[in-house]
Every structure is written in structure tokens, then in C-alpha cells.
Amino acid sequence: MLACVHQPNYLPWLGFFAKVARADVYLVMDNVQFSRNCWTNRVQVAGNGDPLWLTVPVRRGGLETPIADAEIDHTRDWVKQQRSTLEARYGRCQHFKAVYPELVQILEARPRRLVALNLPLIRWVMEACGISTRVVLGSELNATGKASELVVALCRAVGATAYLAGQGSVDYEDLALYERAGIRYQRQEFQHREYPQHGRAQFVAGLSVIDALFNVGVAGARQLLAAQLPAAGPCP
């Protein structure tokens, strides 16, 4: 069984979903410390202008606050601000009207905790793109450790025999830990394919998945992700 481990990021990029699509189980690393203004609570979009950040404000907590406990700061209407930005930047995209209402419905739920916003958004994209990978919260597993130790513990907790790591992670991973645990280490090789971006002459990579959904629709996003899957599928 192939597992991937990743923090529950806010409306993440296509590479995130390509990794989840390849795995049999996505282990949500919500049991690590929340870092302010990282991909967990912000992401870049562009549309018909320069790339900018969509940020979910998070209440200040202790230095050791895990992602699972991070609370959204609703004292300012960040949802209204983001809706205004998305409508201005992407309103004329071909698939905006088909995709936007479901996105707004999740944003307008305004949950107290960040993970209660991010996970429904991730599941929404997974369902739309036909990704049936099982999702397991790290905070619900009895797994401890730091860095590679924690990843190995999470994989062992669900019986994973292989781990799909992100690009560049091999530089700071302790590969010997995986070998001793009998977990085969694999690295994602994501190649960001270009797609038409409304109002842009030059393609911008690395944006939120909603950029692809607004521009090429659900079917187009599925094709972009399918192009990243190996012919043999996930490892047994």
C-alpha cells in the first residue's frame, strides 16, 4: 500500500493532488506545529493580474499549536475579500460559473478551525477530479516523532509498505529509517503541464488548483492530473 503524507494546505496546487491521486492513502499531517503564513493558510492565484496571495487569517496561539487546533480569525471578513478577488480575477474564465458556487458554499461555512476549512476543500477537489484515495487524519493516529520519524510512524500506523515523497524532500529525509521499517521510499516526479489561462500571455505555474478549475474546468483538471499517473498505477 502506497501512502503520501502532507499537511492539509489551503486550496493547494495541482502537484499536491497529483501526489494524492497516485497514493492509496493520504495521511493528513495535522499533528505538527502550525507555521504562520505558510501553505497551510495561504495560496497564490493570478487570473488576469499578477500573482497574489489568498490568506486565511489565523488567531494567535501558543508556539506549539498543532495544525489540528489552529483557529481561523473571523474578526475580519476574509471570505468577502477573497470572493471579491476571485470574482475580479477569474469572473470571465470559461468555467468560473460552473465551479465557483461550490467553492463559495464551503468558504461560507466559516468553520472555527483551519483544518475544518481546508479538508472539505481538498475533498471537494478530490471528488470533482475522481480521486478516491483514502484520507486519514494524523491527529487520530498514535504516531510520534519528528521529520522522517513521524512520517515512518504514520505509514506504519496504517500498514503502508511504500511512501511517496514530494519533490526535493530526499535532501532532508533519513532514508535509512524507511529501509529499517521496511517501507519503500519513492519520490514524486511532477511535471507541471501548461494549460490556457484566461487573460494571460505567459503561463504561471504553481498556482492554486482553482486556477486550473476556472480555466479548463473539472474535465480539464482531471486530464492534467491523469497525465501524471504512472501506467501501472499505485504500487501494491
Side-chain angles (χ1 to χ4, degrees):
M1 178 171 63
L2 178 63
C4 70
V5 180
H6 208 290
Q7 296 179 3
N9 287 350
Y10 180 56
L11 287 170
W13 72 310
L14 280 168
F16 171 96
F17 291 99
K19 183 166 70 169
V20 171
R22 282 193 59 186
D24 298 302
V25 57
Y26 161 39
L27 295 165
V28 182
M29 189 180 274
D30 64 338
N31 52 338
V32 295
Q33 181 180 335
F34 170 76
S35 297
R36 190 170 299 276
N37 289 334
C38 64
W39 297 108
T40 315
N41 73 312
R42 67 176 186 169
V43 71
Q44 282 198 316
V45 296
N48 56 11
D50 293 333
L52 55 77
W53 293 100
L54 291 183
T55 302
V56 180
V58 175
R59 293 169 61 90
R60 294 188 178 275
L63 295 177
E64 301 300 324
T65 301
I67 292 174
D69 295 335
E71 296 186 1
I72 300 173
D73 182 359
H74 289 295
T75 58
R76 47 187 166 131
D77 199 345
W78 62 273
V79 175
K80 180 180 179 180
Q81 182 181 18
Q82 290 196 11
R83 288 186 61 174
S84 177
T85 297
L86 292 174
E87 289 164 10
R89 290 296 188 100
Y90 290 103
R92 295 187 178 182
C93 289
Q94 181 180 356
H95 300 275
F96 181 80
K97 291 183 179 179
V99 174
Y100 188 57
E102 292 188 33
L103 171 62
V104 167
Q105 185 176 14
I106 299 173
L107 295 179
E108 288 290 0
R110 301 172 187 258
R112 181 167 63 92
R113 292 185 175 177
L114 181 63
V115 71
L117 172 70
N118 290 0
L119 268 183
L121 289 169
I122 289 171
R123 291 181 185 274
W124 165 61
V125 176
M126 288 176 62
E127 183 177 355
C129 294
I131 302 172
S132 57
T133 304
R134 183 162 62 104
V135 179
V136 178
L137 292 174
S139 57
E140 296 180 351
L141 300 174
N142 186 23
T144 59
K146 294 183 179 180
S148 298
E149 289 182 351
L150 178 57
V151 173
V152 168
L154 289 169
C155 289
R156 296 180 74 172
V158 297
T161 57
Y163 166 61
L164 180 62
Q167 292 165 284
S169 61
V170 69
D171 295 333
Y172 55 84
E173 291 271 23
D174 186 347
L175 300 184
L177 285 177
Y178 295 93
E179 185 176 359
R180 288 197 297 270
I183 298 172
R184 187 162 68 256
Y185 184 95
Q186 300 180 22
R187 187 173 61 180
Q188 181 189 29
E189 298 293 344
F190 180 77
Q191 296 180 351
H192 206 317
R193 296 201 171 193
E194 295 188 7
Y195 53 85
Q197 291 175 320
H198 180 78
R200 305 201 64 83
Q202 188 172 1
F203 181 76
V204 179
L207 301 175
S208 168
V209 67
I210 59 175
D211 183 85
L213 290 171
F214 288 150
N215 280 291
V216 298
V218 169
R222 282 191 176 205
Q223 292 177 358
L224 289 168
L225 292 172
Q228 303 293 330
L229 293 174
C235 70

